[in-house]
Every structure is written in C-alpha cells, then in structure tokens.
C-alpha cells in the first residue's frame, strides 16, 4: 500500500486513496504501488475470492474496500478478521457532499484538498474528449472524465438516496454498505444537464461546472464549451449546440440544417432531397439498438426511409443488402444494377434440372408488385418491374417434371399475370 493508505481524515474517510494503478507509460497516470505491494494485494484478493464462508456481496465489499484503500492488503491467512470489521461499519460515513446539498448550491463554491486530488487521480482513464476537467456525477458523486465514461462503467457507485449524499474521495464507491442485499443493479445513466461540479485536472480544484476556466489556476478546460450540455472538448470535430435538438452535435453548424419534421440536423447538401418522415430518428438503430437521436455515431438514411448508424450499415451490407426493418433493398437501385445483372447472367448459365423445377408465385419486396407462375431458381427470382432479386415466394404452383414441361411451353418472354399487391408500403 501507499504510505498514505492508512491515514484517515475526518469522518473516518481516508485522506488518500490508492486505486492500485500500475506504473504507467507516457500519457498514463503513474501509480504509487511497488511491485511487492501489488503482489500482496493480488494475493489478498485471491484469498477473499477463495473463501467459501463469505457471501458474494461480502466478497464484493471486501475487495472494494481493499481497492479503495479503506483497509490495507494483508497476508492470505489474516484477512478474515478485517473483513468482519468492514461489515460492522455503520452508515456514519454519510455526510453532506462538499459543503452543499440539492437546495443550497453555491456556484462560487470551490475546494482543493487531498480528497479532490484523489478523486481525480483514481478515476478511470477517459479517451472520449480532450479536456482539462473531470466531472462529478450528480447521481452518485463519483468522478469521471465524461458522461460516456460514467455510462460505460460496469459497476457504478449506488445512486444518492433521499437520506443523504455520500462523500466520494475516489471515483469508485467507498461504502458498499448502502447496496441492497439482493444484488441491486448499480447501473444508472447520467443526466448531462444536471452536472454542477468539475475538478480541474491541473490544480485539483473542485468548482462549479458553469465555467470554461479554472477559478483557481485559470486553466482553460476545453477549446469548446457548452454551459447547457456541460460539454468541454476540442474544435477538431466542429461542435455546435442545436437549440432544436436540445444538445450539442458535431460537423459544423454551417454544414447542417435542422429538419423540424424529422427532428434531426440534416446535411445541407442532402436536405432538399432527403426522405422527410416524422419521428424517423426518434427510434433505435435496427442493428445495435442504440438511440439514434442522441447517438454520437453518424446516422445513414436508407432508400426505404429507415435510419441506421453508418457503421452498422456498412457491417450490414457486407452480408445482407436488405433493411432490417422492412426488408427492402438497403442500397439504391443504381448501385445494385450491376449486382442484379451478374445474378441474372449466373441464372442463365445454370439451368435448373427437371426434377428440381418449380413454378411459383412471387412478390417483390422493393416495388411490391406480384407475379404468378414464375420460374424458380436457387439463385433467386428477378422482378420484371424493377429488376430486383429481393423477391419472396408466396406459393409453389407446380413442381418437378410437371413444372419443367410448363416452363418449356411458356417461355420467359411471356408477360406474367399480375396479382394486386397484398402489402402496403412500409417506410
């Protein structure tokens, strides 16, 4: 453990927390543990996990208290007595958070001490934004580099209850005694608009989030700052705040125009020709199920009118050229003509044997026209109206030798009889 691992401040909370980061290379935070201390900690964790007398929640508590510095590492044979002491701890660690509560927040309030320093140094690394400040989650009081780091954290501290707030001197929870015994799920998304505090990464001063410069050392937190979204980032992605969307987007305000019907910012070069559909982006991506409206990933509009993440679309078309929602072709007709012509050539070069011949009725998923008594082929059946191979067999009319004889008499140039479409257009 660090030399400060057993130094407790007021209320029994350790003044310095060692989260056990190993020696880091360039661009990473340095740890304070020696190799011997790291080995000792690993041995203690393995011993806790191997003890069958402890319930899962007790193992979890014990390991967390070991990691956040509230008890020191110990030998394999001596950790059990300390575990009992941790569980007997009462809720006297519940304190008002850094001099304010929900009703009397002072925007001029700032503080810099060992706890704010430890909260900054113990947070998970952030690779999402270039900024010089760390946010304090209003829901659980933990320190995170950004809201994405918070939402992607696999095991968050418990949310604040109405009974009080918990003072966080590290980015991970310091008192798991507040977790219910029924393994309550600690995942909770952060409200980006409710963030009220940040910590300067240079001087470790905890202060109001409604600023882009540290009140203590004057450091600029980000090249771009939005006080509404509590966002600090660089200018490389050309961020801007859209009043209609309600939060910040990237790409440059001069390149996008908000569509009130779609409820989304649309590329100006595509605005006049885009398929305007109310609520189109107020849904989840049909592939990854992430919300399209608030997603950080670029969206793509398919010819059918459905929206999808661009990256998900690229993965989709590598093995399926149809929309996951309506099953229409996900590419434009012009892009697919070459593929369809190649498929038609392959069918002409590979006739179906008489015993496998089929006469079928089909419906085209793209133009929704139906046709009767078409020749079946294992490579597909081409629609004579739009040339698409995105067709579905509705009924097998003839099969085998009977179908083969019928097809020999009725050549393909004969126009098939159309049946009325049985489906309405899906957009």
């Amino acid at each position: 453990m660090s030399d400060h691992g057993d130094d407790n401040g007021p209320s029994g909370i350790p003044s310095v927390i060692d989260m056990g980061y190993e020696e880091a290379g360039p661009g990473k935070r340095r740890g304070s543990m020696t190799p011997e201390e790291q080995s000792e900690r690993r041995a203690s964790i393995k011993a806790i996990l191997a003890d069958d007398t402890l319930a899962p929640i007790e193992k979890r508590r014990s390991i967390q208290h070991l990691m956040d510095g509230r008890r020191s590492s110990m030998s394999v044979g001596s950790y059990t007595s300390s575990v009992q002491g941790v569980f007997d701890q009462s809720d006297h660690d519940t304190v008002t958070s850094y001099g304010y509560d929900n009703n009397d927040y002072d925007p001029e309030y700032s503080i810099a001490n060992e706890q704010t320093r430890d909260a900054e140094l113990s947070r998970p690394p952030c690779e999402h934004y270039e900024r010089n400040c760390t946010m304090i989650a209003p829901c659980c009081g933990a320190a995170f580099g950004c809201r994405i780091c918070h939402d992607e954290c696999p095991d968050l501290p418990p949310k604040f209850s109405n009974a009080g707030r918990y003072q966080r001197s590290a980015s991970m929870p310091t008192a798991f005694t507040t977790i219910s015994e029924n393994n309550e799920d600690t995942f909770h998304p952060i409200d980006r608009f409710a963030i009220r505090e940040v910590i300067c990464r240079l001087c470790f001063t905890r202060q109001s989030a409604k600023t882009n410069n540290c009140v203590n050392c004057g450091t600029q937190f980000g090249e771009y700052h939005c006080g509404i979204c509590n966002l600090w980032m660089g200018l490389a992605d050309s961020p801007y705040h859209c009043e209609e969307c309600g939060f910040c987007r990237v790409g440059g305000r001069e390149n996008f125009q908000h569509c009130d019907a779609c409820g989304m910012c649309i590329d100006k070069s595509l605005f006049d020709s885009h398929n305007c559909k109310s609520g189109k982006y107020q849904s989840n991506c049909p592939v990854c199920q992430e919300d399209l409206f608030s997603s950080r990933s670029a969206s793509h509009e398919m010819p059918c009118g459905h929206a999808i993440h661009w990256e998900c679309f690229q993965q989709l078309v590598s093995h399926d050229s149809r929309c996951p929602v309506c099953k229409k072709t996900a590419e434009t007709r012009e892009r697919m003509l070459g593929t369809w012509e190649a498929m038609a050539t392959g069918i002409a070069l590979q006739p179906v044997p008489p015993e496998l011949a089929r006469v079928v009725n089909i419906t085209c998923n793209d133009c929704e026209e139906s046709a009767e008594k078409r020749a079946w082929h294992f490579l597909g059946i081409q629609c004579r109206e739009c040339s698409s191979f995105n067709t579905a067999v509705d009924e097998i009319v003839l099969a085998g030798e009977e179908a083969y004889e019928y097809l020999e008499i009725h050549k393909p140039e004969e126009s098939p009889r159309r049946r009325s479409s049985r489906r309405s257009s899906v957009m």
Side-chain angles (χ1 to χ4, degrees):
M1 291 293 294
S2 167
D3 294 338
H4 303 282
D6 296 324
D7 295 339
N8 292 338
S11 303
I13 295 177
S15 59
V16 177
I17 301 301
D18 186 352
M19 296 300 289
Y21 288 106
E22 298 181 0
E23 189 74 13
K28 299 182 180 180
R29 286 191 297 276
R30 294 177 57 87
S32 58
M33 296 183 67
T34 65
E36 292 77 13
E37 291 169 338
Q38 295 173 15
S39 178
E40 183 182 1
R41 173 166 293 183
R42 292 191 186 98
S44 297
I45 293 175
K46 290 180 180 179
I48 294 173
L49 294 175
D51 189 351
D52 296 333
T53 64
L54 296 178
I57 187 64
E58 293 173 336
K59 292 182 180 181
R60 181 183 180 188
R61 287 172 174 170
S62 182
I63 293 174
Q64 187 58 49
H65 282 294
L66 176 65
M67 294 301 295
D68 66 24
R70 296 188 60 179
R71 65 185 184 87
S72 60
S73 301
M74 58 202 71
S75 62
V76 174
S78 63
Y79 76 91
T80 305
S81 60
S82 294
V83 172
Q84 183 63 40
V86 172
F87 299 147
D88 291 339
Q89 182 176 351
S90 66
D91 287 339
H92 71 275
D93 290 329
T94 301
V95 296
T96 303
S97 176
Y98 290 95
Y100 73 92
D101 57 30
N102 289 332
N103 298 321
D104 61 350
Y105 174 62
D106 181 4
E108 301 299 327
Y109 178 82
S110 65
I111 185 173
N113 55 25
E114 287 296 321
Q115 291 177 332
T116 60
R117 175 183 180 275
D118 296 334
E120 161 59 24
L121 296 181
S122 64
R123 66 172 176 82
C126 177
E127 300 177 352
H128 305 103
Y129 296 104
E130 294 182 7
R131 58 175 60 166
N132 291 319
C133 63
T134 293
M135 50 163 253
I136 303 299
C139 45
C140 57
F144 288 94
C146 67
R147 65 178 182 87
I148 304 170
C149 292
H150 175 280
D151 292 348
E152 291 181 350
C153 183
D155 190 15
L156 292 169
K159 295 182 67 174
F160 290 134
S161 64
N162 294 329
R165 305 186 65 171
Y166 300 92
Q167 190 175 25
R168 308 292 189 200
S169 58
S171 62
M172 292 295 100
T174 60
F176 268 96
T177 54
T178 57
I179 300 181
S180 62
E181 295 296 334
N182 59 355
N183 293 327
E184 178 185 354
D185 183 11
T186 57
F187 171 78
H188 49 268
I190 195 173
D191 181 1
R192 73 180 79 181
F193 305 105
I195 297 172
R196 299 186 301 179
E197 287 184 297
V198 294
I199 297 177
C200 176
R201 293 181 181 176
L202 275 70
C203 67
F204 310 117
T205 299
R206 181 164 173 162
Q207 56 198 278
S208 169
K210 302 305 178 184
T211 179
N212 191 33
N213 295 92
C214 177
V215 297
N216 181 46
C217 65
T219 298
Q220 185 182 46
F221 292 150
E223 294 179 322
Y224 172 84
H225 171 235
C226 177
I228 300 175
C229 301
N230 294 306
L231 176 65
W232 300 264
M233 63 181 295
L235 296 175
D237 293 328
S238 302
Y240 68 98
H241 183 86
C242 176
E243 295 290 344
E244 291 79 6
C245 289
F247 47 75
C248 295
R249 298 195 178 278
V250 296
R253 187 187 303 274
E254 67 279 3
N255 298 322
F256 288 87
Q257 181 176 345
H258 186 87
C259 176
D260 294 329
C262 295
M264 192 74 161
C265 290
I266 307 296
D267 192 320
K268 285 186 176 181
S269 63
L270 304 174
F271 189 87
D272 294 335
S273 60
H274 83 280
N275 189 345
C276 193
K277 180 182 179 183
S278 178
K280 176 169 53 179
Y281 293 97
Q282 305 295 329
S283 60
N284 295 339
C285 172
V287 174
C288 69
Q289 294 302 307
E290 182 185 359
D291 178 47
L292 288 169
F293 180 71
S294 59
S295 175
R296 298 176 69 242
S297 301
S299 299
H300 172 69
E301 180 182 325
M302 294 178 285
C304 59
H306 291 116
I308 186 175
H309 283 140
W310 173 243
E311 292 182 358
C312 295
F313 173 76
Q314 291 179 308
Q315 298 177 17
L316 173 70
V317 296
S318 65
H319 59 84
D320 191 353
S321 60
R322 298 176 301 171
C323 170
V325 180
C326 64
K327 301 304 179 184
K328 293 183 180 293
T329 300
E331 296 273 15
T332 62
R333 184 176 184 274
E334 290 72 18
R335 291 178 61 89
M336 292 299 298
L337 278 178
T339 302
W340 292 340
E341 292 174 358
M343 293 178 65
T345 302
I347 290 174
L349 296 175
Q350 303 178 69
V352 177
E355 62 273 15
L356 298 179
R358 300 286 189 275
V359 175
V360 297
N361 297 334
I362 65 168
T363 298
C364 177
N365 291 326
D366 289 342
C367 68
E368 301 191 10
E369 292 291 341
S370 299
E372 294 180 339
K373 297 183 178 180
R374 293 292 308 277
W376 172 85
H377 197 280
F378 55 84
L379 292 180
I381 307 171
Q382 189 171 26
C383 174
R384 291 177 178 171
E385 296 298 323
C386 65
S387 302
S388 172
F389 275 87
N390 186 13
T391 56
V393 174
D394 298 326
E395 181 184 2
I396 300 177
V397 181
L398 299 173
E401 294 290 343
E402 186 179 8
Y404 180 78
E405 293 175 0
Y406 175 86
L407 294 173
E408 285 294 306
I409 297 174
H410 301 82
K411 297 299 181 181
E413 60 269 19
E414 180 182 351
S415 298
R417 290 182 299 160
R418 295 181 190 166
R419 296 176 292 131
S420 60
S421 177
R422 299 182 298 175
R423 298 180 298 176
S424 61
S425 177
V426 180
M427 296 296 291

